Amino acid sequence: MSEMDGQSCVSSMMVWTPMTKIRENRKKYKRKYRLRKDMETVEYTAGIKTCRACTKRPPEEQNFEITNIAEVFLSKLTLLRSRVDRESITGATKTFSIYYKDQTPALDLECSKEDVAKAWVAGIQHLMRARRTETIIDKRKRWISEYFHKGKNADDRLESKEAKKVLAQMNIQIKESQIDMVIQKLDKDQTGALNLDEFTQFYNDVTAREEIEELFDKYAVDGENMKVHELMQFHAKEQKVAIDAKGCGKLIEKFEPDSELKKKNILSLEGFTLYLQSAESDVFNHTHDEVYQDMTQPLSHYFIASSHNTYLLEDQIRGPSSKEGYVRALLKGCRFLELDCWDGDDGEPVIYHGYTLTSKVLFRDVIEAIGRYAFKASPYPVFLSLENHCSVVQQRALAAHMVNILGDSLCNIPATSDMQKLPSPQQLRGKIIVKNKKLKRNVAEDDVSDEDEAAETEDVEVQERVKTCKEKKKTIKLAKELSDLVNICEAVHFYSFQHSREKDMPYNISSIKEGKADSLVKDQAADFIDHTKRQLVKIYPSGAKVDSSNMDPYLYWAAGCQIVALNYQTPCDQMDLNLGLFRQNGRCGYVLKPEALRDAQTRLDTSNNIPEKYKKTLKIKVISGFQLPTPKGEGSGGSAVDPYVKVQVYGVPADCAEDGTDVVKNNGFHPVWNCDMSFPLTFPDLALVRFEVKEHDTMSDSETIGQFSLPVSSMQQGYRHVHLLSKDQEDLSPAALFIHVSLQ
């Protein structure tokens, strides 16, 4: 594909373009797509008409946001989803695919011409790049413009009623009479309505925040602007950060919107507010957006982002199986994928949740997707955990597909009897590791135990088959071709820590069920930690979780367990914590364990009696909230919300704690709490903090408005903003909490 001018492509996207949507069930749908003038949203219509009244869906559902796109690319026929009738698609370069950040199904679109598909891909990629590089000033301008254009009239203006509706959508509640007064004040050309510049000024006026103004006045001696030396004082005293005059000048250059003040090298209240709302002043330390940890230690020294039943998009009984599950997990930095493999038709193995009504997806299609997406989010190794229920013939097909599709990316480091430690993530960059049983040397084909696979499938039928086989353990025949792909991740049954010390090698990995793991963590935490210094351990959920709910991962991380397999398709508190832990270290899916959980000379029992030398106290003051969204289904406008904040700490058992603010009635736009909290930490290196904003409801469970999780080790001290995410991990900007953090 030749280089295309991104902005020209964006312009061409603003014209209605006929395309064909291709679904997994082989059906095709004629659509017309275009980019709205706000350059944020792509809208579509059904059929050949552009009249919204002719479509089945309500208008607000007939669009998708550019910010929700994870990747867009020209499709190859072999990469389209498995149920598409590949023979009916003419010309692969006329087709492009969009994968989303959230649970939205992937979109395959066929254009009339190759150049049209290329222009759309180039245009979307141009917009995505622009979003990644924009400043907070640009972002705010874009955000205000987006809402303005959604509500403006035919004259490109907002009258009083329109302005009130737009402000409510922005979670700003204000009386219409007040809006009329503002319009009279700002409406310079006396049209009775606001243009974009006037509306922007209106927004700036109503979103002024007293708590930030008080902080500004504390350091801006003249009460008007903050000079460089005053900004240095603010950082040293409040933010616990050393920054010199040159660094402060760069901040003023970046965040001061007034060009005249920028020339004088001073910061206004507006610039100071923008700075505090920016990534630089986020509670999360954004230097941790890059890989900053030592990646040369053995694999057993890292926590590894791990998924369970990766192929499922919903529940474990009737939900669909799809390669999209693997794409979504990989794009979130997941490095450990599960593939439940069963015999399929025509000699082609399939992946699905055996003995259930979940749909099936071809193993080959999943491997193709993994081949494409394995290293998009992270260069470090990916594990393929094969739960093998296939016949020998189809096991050979499994092996052939992996060899043919993954090729040189398959890990080929031999597992030798003199191996003292596992290789490092750095050594295994770009490699895919197969986890499975392995035949003994010089054996062409043999029986291996089916006990672990039966337990991990969570299928009652398979488990009962194993339990009722009294004469001998159930076994399956393992093909040499599949066995040969297994090297540094050979699955073995876990009997005891003593057995593992005497018999196991570093390349052996055991899978332990949630219930059994709970007992081991409680009674033998120190032994568990010593075990995981040398070997990998996978913890998988009990079979009772048919709704794909998740176990509490921090319980097992505290015992050094590297692989805690969670359902990535399930938004929940546990997934928030999982993504919070792996938010650090460049989201690469590998987090170096605390030294005490790696050092062979240290004997630590995290269940109790942790030495005093590790202890610290985390103090958090929840000051205020800003433009909190209204939970779905409750109408629009932030004032309808009765918010409170829950702060939870997770880690070793002694550190797990929770505190909360009072409820602020009828104010989601700018609630103020000023609530002090204190959390003694016995082992802060392993502690996570989860902020959750909830809507108070006396009649039922309080609904989550927004949340954010991060490790204590990635928290910045001082006055910080917590930029909230939805339960589905969507960015809720500008919704945020304003807090103060200290770690003593």
Side-chain angles (χ1 to χ4, degrees):
M1 172 179 169
S2 60
E3 191 68 30
M4 305 181 75
D5 177 55
Q7 192 55 52
S8 297
C9 293
V10 169
S11 298
S12 70
M13 290 166 60
M14 293 183 175
V15 178
W16 284 110
T17 306
M19 299 186 204
T20 301
K21 177 182 176 180
I22 305 170
R23 278 193 163 178
E24 290 193 25
N25 59 8
R26 306 187 184 197
K27 290 184 179 180
K28 296 185 175 184
Y29 300 87
K30 297 292 184 182
R31 297 277 190 266
K32 281 194 171 184
Y33 292 82
R34 76 172 175 186
L35 179 69
R36 289 181 182 165
K37 289 182 180 179
D38 62 8
M39 293 194 292
E40 298 300 318
T41 310
V42 174
E43 59 184 340
Y44 68 84
T45 63
I48 59 172
K49 298 180 180 180
T50 59
C51 173
R52 295 207 167 195
C54 302
T55 61
K56 293 182 180 179
R57 286 189 176 188
E60 63 270 16
E61 293 185 15
Q62 297 177 74
N63 58 69
F64 57 85
E65 304 294 328
I66 296 294
T67 53
N68 191 34
I69 296 176
E71 188 183 21
V72 57
F73 57 93
L74 289 169
S75 306
K76 302 294 184 184
L77 293 182
T78 55
L79 288 171
L80 287 174
R81 299 199 295 278
S82 59
R83 298 304 176 192
V84 174
D85 182 1
R86 295 187 175 101
E87 298 301 322
S88 67
I89 302 175
T90 57
T93 52
K94 294 182 184 178
T95 307
F96 68 96
S97 298
I98 294 174
Y99 279 89
Y100 299 96
K101 296 175 183 176
D102 63 10
Q103 302 292 77
T104 305
L107 178 64
D108 294 324
L109 293 172
E110 184 181 19
C111 302
S112 58
K113 296 179 181 179
E114 179 180 332
D115 287 347
V116 176
K118 288 183 176 180
W120 271 77
V121 170
I124 292 175
Q125 289 175 342
H126 177 81
L127 291 171
M128 291 171 68
R129 281 194 299 272
R131 302 296 173 268
R132 288 194 293 267
T133 58
E134 68 183 355
T135 66
I136 188 171
I137 296 174
D138 294 334
K139 186 175 183 177
R140 189 178 66 158
K141 285 180 180 178
R142 174 174 60 79
W143 188 78
I144 295 171
S145 175
E146 177 185 348
Y147 277 96
F148 177 84
H149 282 96
K150 283 180 181 178
K152 69 183 182 181
N153 58 27
D155 297 326
D156 285 348
R157 291 178 177 273
L158 289 177
E159 295 179 354
S160 182
K161 288 184 178 180
E162 295 161 342
K164 182 180 180 183
K165 185 177 180 181
V166 169
L167 290 168
Q169 291 172 344
M170 300 170 83
N171 298 305
I172 301 173
Q173 200 73 12
I174 188 170
K175 293 180 181 178
E176 203 166 317
S177 58
Q178 292 177 281
I179 297 176
D180 289 335
M181 291 174 59
V182 173
I183 289 177
Q184 290 178 9
K185 177 183 175 183
L186 298 177
D187 182 21
K188 298 175 183 177
D189 47 11
Q190 300 299 306
T191 61
L194 300 175
N195 61 27
L196 177 57
D197 289 340
E198 292 164 347
F199 179 71
T200 299
Q201 183 60 51
F202 181 25
Y203 174 83
N204 291 339
D205 290 346
V206 298
T207 56
R209 297 164 59 187
E210 290 182 7
E211 69 274 26
I212 292 181
E213 187 172 354
E214 288 177 6
L215 187 60
F216 179 80
D217 289 343
K218 184 178 177 181
Y219 288 91
V221 176
D222 66 3
E224 294 293 329
N225 297 296
M226 191 179 285
K227 299 176 178 62
V228 167
H229 73 277
E230 294 168 340
L231 188 56
M232 288 173 63
Q233 288 178 341
F234 166 74
H235 280 95
K237 187 172 181 179
E238 305 290 356
Q239 308 299 77
K240 311 302 180 187
V241 173
I243 183 169
D244 59 14
K246 185 177 180 181
C248 287
K250 288 181 178 178
L251 292 178
I252 294 171
E253 175 67 27
K254 185 173 183 179
F255 295 106
E256 177 52 55
D258 188 308
S259 57
E260 291 302 314
L261 294 180
K262 192 180 292 188
K263 290 177 183 177
K264 297 177 182 178
N265 207 25
I266 54 179
L267 191 66
S268 66
L269 172 60
E270 184 180 357
F272 182 69
T273 303
L274 285 171
Y275 169 54
L276 286 183
Q277 292 174 341
S278 72
E280 280 87 342
S281 293
D282 197 351
V283 68
F284 179 75
N285 184 349
H286 282 281
T287 63
H288 292 185
D289 281 335
E290 305 295 327
V291 174
Y292 67 95
Q293 296 177 340
D294 179 7
M295 302 303 288
T296 64
Q297 299 199 30
L299 285 172
S300 55
H301 288 186
Y302 298 84
F303 297 122
I304 303 171
S306 307
S307 62
H308 179 64
N309 290 343
T310 320
Y311 47 89
L312 291 179
L313 300 182
E314 296 173 12
D315 65 70
Q316 301 182 33
I317 303 298
R318 298 179 180 83
S321 303
S322 172
K323 73 177 188 182
E324 286 180 37
Y326 294 91
V327 174
R328 291 174 185 173
L330 287 167
L331 290 175
K332 289 179 180 177
C334 182
R335 301 284 87 191
F336 187 96
L337 311 175
E338 186 175 89
L339 299 86
D340 283 3
C341 307
W342 301 80
D343 282 356
D345 299 332
D346 302 322
E348 284 292 342
V350 294
I351 291 175
Y352 83 113
H353 204 227
Y355 300 104
T356 67
L357 299 178
T358 56
S359 63
K360 300 174 182 178
V361 59
L362 289 176
F363 178 84
R364 177 189 63 207
D365 288 346
V366 168
I367 296 301
E368 286 175 348
I370 292 171
R372 177 177 180 84
Y373 285 93
F375 305 108
K376 289 280 185 184
S378 167
Y380 296 107
V382 172
F383 291 79
L384 304 186
S385 179
L386 303 184
E387 309 305 338
N388 174 25
H389 308 282
C390 292
S391 63
V392 170
V393 172
Q394 294 211 14
Q395 286 180 44
R396 293 187 181 119
L398 297 177
H401 287 319
M402 287 190 283
V403 170
N404 293 336
I405 296 168
L406 302 178
D408 292 341
S409 64
L410 285 170
C411 175
N412 58 3
I413 295 177
T416 60
S417 58
D418 61 348
M419 179 179 280
Q420 297 299 308
K421 61 182 181 180
L422 286 166
S424 69
Q426 183 64 33
Q427 287 175 273
L428 294 166
R429 283 172 63 100
K431 292 297 181 182
I432 294 175
I433 302 164
V434 177
K435 169 192 171 284
N436 196 38
K437 300 284 186 180
K438 189 170 179 66
L439 294 170
K440 295 178 181 178
R441 288 186 179 183
N442 303 318
V443 176
E445 184 181 300
D446 201 358
D447 291 336
V448 295
S449 171
D450 188 28
E451 187 174 359
D452 292 318
E453 282 77 9
E456 288 195 53
T457 62
E458 304 163 22
D459 299 320
V460 175
E461 290 85 348
V462 181
Q463 293 179 25
E464 287 302 316
R465 183 188 67 198
V466 174
K467 289 179 183 177
T468 56
C469 188
K470 297 179 180 179
E471 295 182 6
K472 62 177 182 178
K473 289 183 179 179
K474 178 64 184 177
T475 60
I476 61 169
K477 210 168 275 294
L478 181 62
K480 184 177 186 300
E481 291 85 349
L482 185 57
S483 175
D484 286 347
L485 298 182
V486 180
N487 37 61
I488 62 168
C489 199
E490 179 184 342
V492 298
H493 184 69
F494 176 79
Y495 296 98
S496 69
F497 293 124
Q498 181 179 347
H499 180 275
S500 296
R501 283 193 298 270
E502 295 172 354
K503 303 291 185 181
D504 288 353
M505 297 296 296
Y507 54 76
N508 291 143
I509 177 172
S510 299
S511 296
I512 304 177
K513 194 173 184 176
E514 176 185 355
K516 184 175 182 179
D518 289 345
S519 299
L520 294 172
V521 169
K522 182 179 179 181
D523 301 329
Q524 303 179 62
D527 288 332
F528 214 151
I529 290 171
D530 287 345
H531 176 83
T532 58
K533 291 173 183 177
R534 182 170 182 259
Q535 290 177 236
L536 295 176
V537 170
K538 173 190 173 186
I539 309 297
Y540 63 94
S542 67
K545 291 180 167 60
V546 294
D547 59 350
S548 292
S549 59
N550 280 313
M551 53 192 170
D552 293 322
Y554 58 90
L555 296 174
Y556 313 109
W557 292 330
C561 299
Q562 305 90 347
I563 300 166
V564 183
L566 299 182
N567 293 287
Y568 267 65
Q569 73 272 24
T570 306
C572 58
D573 296 3
Q574 293 82 5
M575 183 49 61
D576 294 343
L577 293 171
N578 184 69
L579 296 175
L581 175 72
F582 292 104
R583 181 167 280 116
Q584 62 184 312
N585 207 29
R587 301 178 191 241
C588 74
Y590 286 82
V591 169
L592 190 64
K593 293 194 286 187
E595 185 178 4
L597 302 186
R598 297 181 273 118
D599 180 21
Q601 308 306 315
T602 302
R603 176 79 170 171
L604 183 68
D605 184 346
T606 51
S607 64
N608 55 34
N609 298 326
I610 296 174
E612 288 285 332
K613 65 179 181 179
Y614 298 113
K615 295 183 179 180
K616 293 182 180 180
T617 299
L618 174 66
K619 293 190 175 183
I620 296 174
K621 182 174 185 176
V622 179
I623 301 169
S624 62
F626 183 63
Q627 286 189 248
L628 305 178
T630 304
K632 292 180 180 178
E634 295 190 17
S636 60
S639 70
V641 179
D642 298 333
Y644 67 98
V645 180
K646 187 165 68 171
V647 180
Q648 299 160 300
V649 175
Y650 298 89
V652 300
D655 291 348
C656 294
E658 178 181 312
D659 203 348
T661 68
D662 292 332
V663 175
V664 172
K665 289 287 187 180
N666 201 37
N667 188 349
F669 169 51
H670 186 203
V672 176
W673 293 284
N674 284 321
C675 179
D676 291 301
M677 304 177 186
S678 182
F679 301 96
L681 301 177
T682 60
F683 198 57
D685 288 349
L686 205 60
L688 288 158
V689 178
R690 181 171 185 266
F691 297 90
E692 184 177 23
V693 185
K694 298 184 76 84
E695 153 77 312
H696 179 65
D697 191 333
T698 57
M699 304 300 292
S700 61
D701 290 340
S702 297
E703 187 170 354
T704 298
I705 294 173
Q707 57 78 31
F708 189 80
S709 301
L710 77 164
V712 168
S713 59
S714 292
M715 293 183 80
Q716 297 200 94
Q717 296 191 67
Y719 288 95
R720 304 291 174 180
H721 276 90
V722 180
H723 293 98
L724 297 173
L725 304 174
S726 71
K727 287 185 285 189
D728 293 323
Q729 301 294 317
E730 295 177 38
D731 182 8
L732 295 177
S733 293
L737 296 176
F738 188 46
I739 67 172
H740 185 272
V741 178
S742 67
L743 190 62
Q744 301 170 357

